[in-house]
Amino acid sequence: MEKQIKMSYMAASSLLLLLFFSGSPIQILGLGVGINYGQIANNLPSPSRVAYLLKSLNISRVKLYDADLNVLLAFSHTNVDFIIGLGNEYLPNMTDPIKARNWLQQRVQPHLPQTRITCITMGNEVFKTYDHQLWSNLLPAMQTVYNALVDLGLDKQVTVTSAHSLDILSISFPPSAGSFRQDLGEYLHGILNFHAEVKSPFLINAYPYFAYKDNPNEVPLDYVLFQSNQGTVDPITNLKYDNMLYAQVDAVYSAIKAMGHTDIEVRISETGWPSRGDDDEAGATPENAGLYNGNLLKRIEEKQSTPAKPNVPVDIYVFALFNENLKPGPASEGNYGLYYPNGTPVYNIGVQGYLPGMVYTSPSTKIGMRQSIYHLHSVDRRALVY
């Protein structure tokens, strides 16, 4: 067994050295990008393996859709900043101060500070549900959880927000005319006041893919994929946009300004492009997904800003880390991942982590390797993922 362990370790170490010294241009993701770590699947790698993957990619910002105990434990002492989530179904309970405090004490406080939880999202795309009771619960739930954080002395470490779909806009172009739907005005006014008061960001899930899918004959593909194109000009501000994503962000800024706020930052909590879809889902191909995410990462690396906010680099969480085989809905829903569950990239975007393959062993050998590798230097361990 020791011989097998030694051989596996030597092979992995040699591969790691090859990556470092071969002279090949291997780009690592450490660009300030965040990643959405969805788990609606039955074939995903364990959270401890995911922690190795993200470390090898130098990704230090992760967004969850829950407060998964196994994930938060696996990322203990990894210096990864986490956004955790409370699903829409929890919002009614979170309007109760006692229940909100109990949830924080059970699901958040035990992980601090060893796991860096920096933000809690209350619900996801609540206004897409057309559940008016849920709409009414959102702001009170945000306020109650924030107040509980204050009571526990955690409000300086953890902030509170919610993620919205672009369906909340009634006008998105030109960007300077962006405005929220009238039926959401009474709800969003209070939410924006909350963000301004506690200095938390306004999150949007922005997908130019949806616009292209719905109108492939009218929406230029190069415009949504960050490729070279003529762009569009806002006739009011005369600002030029060479991609749809930045126009969408500025439309949200305009809508927020129309409600009296210029003191709230807009961040992209989700954006991505599917590598596969149903027959009626135009543009869902590996080639387009690779162009969208590859070009997006380059812009993040350049710390680009939108035309209307030239001094505010766009803050983005890419959707998603893995393909998810149990996602309901059209085929595209489960195919936004940068990686297959086995750690293989879905397409090439010039990014290579230290996971060129898996180390396969018999169960008994795997146990021995786990015990031995625990003591290896952290850099050497990166290539040994199993």
Side-chain angles (χ1 to χ4, degrees), residues 4-17 384:
Q4 288 177 309
I5 295 171
K6 188 174 182 179
M7 290 177 64
S8 296
Y9 166 63
M10 290 176 63
S13 298
S14 298
L15 181 54
L16 184 61
L17 290 172
L384 295 170

Side-chain angles (χ1 to χ4, degrees), residues 1 53 55 68 131 135 221 244 291 310 339 344 370 376:
M1 182 184 298
L53 172 61
K55 184 177 181 180
D68 189 299
D131 181 338
W135 294 6
L221 184 59
M244 181 178 287
L291 285 172
Y339 286 88
T344 304
R370 287 181 187 274
L376 297 177

Side-chain angles (χ1 to χ4, degrees), residues 101-163:
R101 184 186 178 98
N102 287 342
W103 185 83
L104 290 171
Q105 288 177 319
Q106 294 169 13
R107 304 302 296 272
V108 177
Q109 198 168 25
H111 299 286
L112 298 173
Q114 60 272 21
T115 301
R116 290 168 47 169
I117 299 171
T118 62
C119 181
I120 301 170
T121 56
M122 306 298 298
N124 186 54
E125 300 186 342
V126 168
F127 296 116
K128 202 177 182 72
T129 66
Y130 290 94
D131 181 338
H132 288 177
Q133 186 59 51
L134 203 58
W135 294 6
S136 298
N137 285 332
L138 179 55
L139 177 58
M142 294 170 70
Q143 293 170 325
T144 303
V145 169
Y146 178 78
N147 291 335
L149 286 168
V150 172
D151 292 343
L152 294 170
L154 301 177
D155 57 300
K156 304 303 181 186
Q157 302 175 55
V158 185
T159 191
V160 175
T161 184
S162 185

Side-chain angles (χ1 to χ4, degrees), residues 37-228:
Y37 178 10
Q39 299 181 80
I40 305 179
N42 60 7
N43 58 353
L44 297 181
S46 66
S48 60
R49 287 171 55 199
V50 175
Y52 283 126
L53 172 61
L54 295 185
K55 184 177 181 180
S56 75
L57 292 168
N58 201 23
I59 291 178
S60 60
R61 300 195 304 153
V62 175
K63 178 170 165 283
L64 298 177
Y65 293 87
D66 53 22
D68 189 299
L69 172 65
N70 293 324
V71 173
L72 296 176
L73 287 174
F75 280 83
S76 178
H77 303 291
T78 60
N79 294 322
V80 172
D81 290 342
F82 270 91
I83 296 176
I84 62 173
L86 269 163
N88 294 350
E89 67 274 16
Y90 290 99
L91 294 185
N93 281 341
M94 290 301 105
T95 63
D96 182 323
I98 295 176
K99 292 180 179 178
R101 184 186 178 98
N102 287 342
W103 185 83
L104 290 171
Q105 288 177 319
Q106 294 169 13
R107 304 302 296 272
V108 177
Q109 198 168 25
H111 299 286
L112 298 173
Q114 60 272 21
T115 301
R116 290 168 47 169
I117 299 171
T118 62
C119 181
I120 301 170
T121 56
M122 306 298 298
N124 186 54
E125 300 186 342
V126 168
F127 296 116
K128 202 177 182 72
T129 66
Y130 290 94
D131 181 338
H132 288 177
Q133 186 59 51
L134 203 58
W135 294 6
S136 298
N137 285 332
L138 179 55
L139 177 58
M142 294 170 70
Q143 293 170 325
T144 303
V145 169
Y146 178 78
N147 291 335
L149 286 168
V150 172
D151 292 343
L152 294 170
L154 301 177
D155 57 300
K156 304 303 181 186
Q157 302 175 55
V158 185
T159 191
V160 175
T161 184
S162 185
H164 307 280
S165 75
L166 281 181
D167 293 348
I168 61 175
L169 294 177
S170 61
I171 298 174
S172 60
F173 194 85
S176 60
S179 62
F180 293 123
R181 285 168 26 202
Q182 288 188 353
D183 61 323
L184 300 180
E186 61 178 298
Y187 303 98
L188 289 172
H189 182 74
I191 288 172
L192 292 173
N193 288 341
F194 171 83
H195 285 302
E197 179 183 351
V198 307
K199 297 179 172 55
S200 63
F202 190 87
L203 304 184
I204 58 167
N205 298 338
Y207 289 90
Y209 164 71
F210 292 149
Y212 178 77
K213 181 192 71 170
D214 292 341
N215 296 285
N217 295 323
E218 298 179 16
V219 176
L221 184 59
D222 287 342
Y223 179 63
V224 293
L225 293 179
F226 305 100
Q227 296 285 83
S228 177

